[in-house]
Amino acid sequence: MSDNYCNAELVLNPSSSEPFSSILNTRLSRRGFMQATVATAMVTGMSASLTACGSTVGAGRLGFTAVPLSTEDKVIVPPGYRADVMYAWGDPIGSLKGMPAFKEDASNTAAEQALQAGMHHDGMWFFPYPYGSQSSERGLLAMNHEYVDDGLLHTDGTENWSAEKVRKAQAAVGVSIVEVQNRGGRWQVVQSRFARRITASTPMDIAGPAAGHASMQTNADPSGREVLGTFSNCANGYTPWGTYLTCEENWQDHFVSANPNANEKRYGINPKGAGYNWHQHDKRFDAAVEPNEANRFGWVVEIDPFDPSSRPVKRTALGRMGHEGATVTLAADGRAVVYMGDDKRFEYIYKFVSRNAYNPNDRAANMNLLDEGTLYVARFNADGSGQWIELSHGKNGLTAANGFADQADVVIRARAAGDKVGATPMDRPEWVTVDPRTKEVYCTLTNNSDRGKDGKPGVDAANPRKNNLFGQIIRWREDGDSHALSFKWDLFVQAGNPALADANLKGNIKGDAFGSPDGLWIDPSGLLWIQTDVSTSTLNAKEYAGMGNNQMLVADTKSGEIRRFLTGPKGCEITGITATPDMKTMFINIQHPGEPASERSDPKNPKAVSSWPFGGRPRAATVVIRRTDGGVIGS
């Protein structure tokens, strides 16, 4: 999601103290990792141009010709590949309850929208069907719909605001689960008993340490164990037991509080909200009416795509924050380890380790695995080492005397807990991915132009640039197994624009230039796929001039080479990535095509920026990518 609209660039961490890792004159490299740079250091031999059209830098494992930078209103992929739109906002989901068609004038009702693809596709995952199979021809696709653009969603935008418009907006966010099949070489959504939409009005359970807590109780739910809906679903995760994890990121934008308390301020809730105005017709979004409702959002939500009758569950043991994602791996002893980023300036990276082990022979036994375990937050030291600091009540100062009443209070106020234990404030931690072969972990740090400003945290080893406009990707490996509490880290790459005179903004990319890395996935062969989210107010302008539309690149983690694989249409973000087990079909999402610099469309001129994908009203969509020769993608 573009950073300005969702207030991702607001600084909500009030601490101005330097983190433990703020000593610069130390080494940042370790065995097996490329040399990282600090401040203005440069990589020898870096290209002086923004792109190498047709480049084949190095002799690594990337088997495609790089595409050039683009400002065209289309998706561009390398020669020998094709990209087809499969599932766009407003398309029917294939529900047995009905198949309402998309209306180009945006006149679909709220009830119709609830049976159609939501807006602004984001993180997603492909689950082969049947469950437990390795099918690459049929599966269930679970997908986030992050937020709405009311200028596109309604015929007259925000004029004549009504309860029906709020209901339609609430039906356009959340999650889609659709069945997809390869029929004659073309992937398509099919009518299915599994098809369903999970929206801002869907009943779901609250589980884990915060379930039933006084801070979770409302007038509508005095038990504190059931909540309506999920929204602001950004990145995602999936579990070895075949469930989908959707992550509530900028949920705070939908709430208003006339006099925000300390907890509300720490999460960015304010008197005006972000212009969604749900509170005008749904009073649970007004803190004066329901002061605890906001505490019921900011969680990781687990969904079983294989059971359409199941209720989603908010897993509170994983902490409440601006969840960008929840990436699961298994420790050697079978325990589930979940890595999570909190996407705001100067926020933290977290890890959860389950108490019990995953049982590969009993799916039902794993369904509550994420309710019990230990939450940690990361500290990155200047010498390339790091620690996971436990966020458990009674430990590391998280006591009643310091304002934390119990473990429910710790997870509800996870940011404050991170403040208390001295975690390292990061440059907007977003997607996390784990190399399945080496267990090395990568995390995108998108950008942070407030780094080093007066009264704000200064540079440190993990965040080494003031006015960090381009971001970086950090990498670490635990000392031993994934559940270990210490690790070694370095910077895999610092993004930048090598055409700029300011050395601080050039970056050290070995290959094709990019900025604001966001989506991230390492495939089974170890190739690292990087997606960018340059805000629409910055695309191809200012320091990003000449860098074109948002893009997707591939990095060879062995050689360090990065090559551009795809560019998107005007005004879009590239996000969401998954593939079939045979890696011959890839799915990616084009979010908010046509978004103007103001980040809200003019309902009188919806095509002002883009008419992708079908020549009419711009529509977020899932794109299917395949090689024309049927080969493995990226190889």
Side-chain angles (χ1 to χ4, degrees):
M1 181 177 182
S2 297
D3 48 15
N4 293 338
Y5 184 85
C6 66
N7 296 322
E9 297 204 353
L10 291 178
V11 178
L12 304 175
N13 189 339
S15 174
S16 61
S17 60
E18 293 298 307
F20 183 77
S21 57
S22 61
I23 303 172
L24 287 177
N25 296 322
T26 55
R27 65 177 177 85
L28 295 180
S29 62
R30 65 177 177 87
R31 185 180 66 185
F33 276 178
M34 64 182 286
Q35 177 69 35
T37 60
V38 294
T40 60
M42 300 294 294
V43 169
T44 302
M46 182 176 64
S47 170
S49 64
L50 283 177
T51 182
C53 179
S55 66
T56 53
V57 180
R61 298 177 297 144
L62 306 182
F64 61 90
T65 299
V67 301
L69 293 164
S70 171
T71 57
E72 295 188 61
D73 195 27
K74 62 182 180 180
V75 173
I76 298 174
V77 291
Y81 285 81
R82 62 177 297 163
D84 298 301
V85 174
M86 182 185 70
Y87 182 59
W89 160 51
D91 283 351
I93 63 172
S95 173
L96 303 180
K97 297 178 180 179
M99 299 272 284
F102 177 74
K103 296 178 180 177
E104 181 60 37
D105 64 355
S107 63
N108 285 109
T109 65
E112 290 171 332
Q113 176 62 78
L115 295 172
Q116 297 172 323
M119 292 194 89
H120 293 350
H121 302 30
D122 211 306
M124 62 179 166
W125 196 252
F126 176 84
F127 295 87
Y129 183 81
Y131 171 75
S133 75
Q134 288 295 303
S135 172
S136 291
E137 301 297 317
R138 181 185 182 190
L140 304 181
L141 196 63
M143 178 190 311
N144 296 341
H145 301 290
E146 188 178 9
Y147 67 111
V148 301
D149 181 340
D150 288 307
L152 292 177
L153 183 62
H154 313 293
T155 55
D156 58 352
T158 56
E159 295 181 9
N160 305 303
W161 195 243
S162 65
E164 169 66 12
K165 286 187 172 182
V166 171
R167 285 191 291 269
K168 185 177 181 182
Q170 291 177 343
V173 295
V175 174
S176 282
I177 297 172
V178 294
E179 182 176 343
V180 295
Q181 292 185 24
N182 180 9
R183 292 183 171 177
R186 302 282 293 192
W187 281 86
Q188 56 190 280
V189 174
V190 299
Q191 198 162 18
S192 170
R193 69 183 181 89
F194 297 107
R196 60 170 166 158
R197 283 292 321 285
I198 294 163
T199 72
S201 303
T202 301
M204 50 192 66
D205 296 330
I206 300 169
H213 192 267
S215 295
M216 302 289 279
Q217 297 169 3
T218 65
N219 291 318
D221 173 34
S223 73
R225 295 180 179 274
E226 180 181 88
V227 61
L228 290 181
T230 185
F231 47 86
S232 298
N233 307 87
C234 194
N236 63 300
Y238 67 97
T239 69
W241 51 95
T243 60
Y244 183 68
L245 303 178
T246 185
C247 302
E248 298 174 341
E249 187 196 10
N250 289 299
W251 50 272
Q252 74 285 341
D253 289 348
H254 296 80
F255 291 88
V256 297
S257 178
N259 296 291
N261 57 37
N263 182 43
E264 291 169 334
K265 289 179 181 178
R266 189 65 183 83
Y267 285 95
I269 299 172
N270 61 70
K272 295 182 179 180
Y276 291 109
N277 294 323
W278 289 5
H279 66 286
Q280 293 182 13
H281 296 282
D282 189 342
K283 293 305 180 183
R284 63 191 176 119
F285 295 97
D286 185 345
V289 179
E290 286 289 4
N292 287 340
E293 185 71 19
N295 293 333
R296 295 143 65 86
F297 294 88
W299 305 104
V300 173
V301 185
E302 186 171 10
I303 301 167
D304 184 354
F306 294 96
D307 183 0
S309 66
S310 63
R311 287 168 64 109
V313 183
K314 299 201 176 187
R315 301 296 185 189
T316 66
L318 277 62
R320 175 172 168 264
M321 61 195 75
H323 279 285
E324 183 72 21
T327 300
V328 182
T329 190
L330 291 177
D333 62 6
R335 285 186 288 169
V337 178
V338 187
Y339 296 101
M340 300 167 286
D342 185 355
D343 181 16
K344 282 288 184 292
R345 293 176 180 180
F346 305 115
E347 294 302 341
Y348 309 127
I349 295 173
Y350 298 80
K351 178 170 84 169
F352 172 85
V353 181
S354 68
R355 186 187 71 180
N356 298 321
Y358 162 66
N359 185 343
N361 300 314
D362 187 350
R363 186 171 189 250
N366 303 313
M367 286 302 184
N368 296 315
L369 199 60
L370 300 183
D371 285 341
E372 295 180 302
T374 306
L375 185 65
Y376 302 91
V377 68
R379 177 184 290 162
F380 293 85
N381 302 323
D383 64 356
S385 68
Q387 289 84 41
W388 291 107
I389 308 169
E390 186 172 347
L391 299 181
S392 293
H393 186 255
K395 296 184 178 181
N396 298 316
L398 302 178
T399 64
N402 289 324
F404 294 91
D406 48 31
Q407 186 61 21
D409 201 24
V410 170
V411 296
I412 291 170
R413 297 192 297 125
R415 284 181 176 172
D419 298 342
K420 181 63 181 176
V421 304
T424 302
M426 307 299 285
D427 287 346
R428 292 186 56 201
E430 300 217 32
W431 291 53
V432 179
T433 189
V434 180
D435 189 322
R437 308 158 309 152
T438 67
K439 294 296 186 179
E440 289 173 347
V441 188
Y442 296 77
C443 177
T444 47
L445 303 173
T446 291
N447 54 49
N448 186 354
S449 59
D450 273 352
R451 176 71 65 177
K453 285 186 177 180
D454 290 345
K456 304 293 191 303
V459 296
D460 59 50
N463 307 275
R465 292 188 286 184
K466 294 182 179 180
N467 187 33
N468 182 10
L469 301 179
F470 289 93
Q472 64 262 23
I473 298 175
I474 197 167
R475 168 174 58 178
W476 68 87
R477 181 192 283 171
E478 271 84 0
D479 294 331
D481 201 7
S482 299
H483 61 70
L485 301 186
S486 61
F487 57 90
K488 300 294 190 300
W489 68 271
D490 80 347
L491 296 179
F492 175 68
V493 67
Q494 294 182 52
N497 183 344
L500 296 175
D502 186 348
N504 185 56
L505 301 175
K506 286 179 178 291
N508 63 3
I509 302 166
K510 185 180 178 182
D512 292 330
F514 67 95
S516 297
D518 189 345
L520 197 66
W521 179 56
I522 196 159
D523 71 25
S525 73
L527 295 180
L528 183 68
W529 297 80
I530 304 166
Q531 300 172 317
T532 70
D533 180 19
V534 183
S535 68
T536 48
S537 61
T538 308
L539 272 174
N540 210 35
K542 306 172 187 175
E543 289 83 1
Y544 279 82
M547 297 186 75
N549 299 341
N550 275 304
Q551 56 183 297
M552 181 168 73
L553 309 99
V554 191
D556 181 340
T557 56
K558 293 181 178 180
S559 69
E561 178 195 354
I562 297 178
R563 195 178 297 181
R564 186 176 303 107
F565 181 85
L566 174 149
T567 56
K570 294 181 179 180
C572 83
E573 168 190 345
I574 308 297
T575 186
I577 181 168
T578 186
T580 53
D582 63 8
M583 275 299 295
K584 293 182 178 181
T585 300
M586 178 177 284
F587 305 90
I588 63 108
N589 280 327
I590 303 296
Q591 189 184 92
H592 61 69
E595 184 175 81
S598 65
E599 301 189 359
R600 272 207 174 94
S601 297
D602 179 359
K604 297 178 181 178
N605 189 15
K607 298 191 292 182
V609 177
S610 171
S611 59
W612 187 88
F614 303 125
R617 188 174 293 260
R619 298 163 65 184
T622 302
V623 172
V624 179
I625 300 170
R626 305 193 83 197
R627 276 175 49 163
T628 54
D629 65 1
V632 172
I633 293 173
S635 64

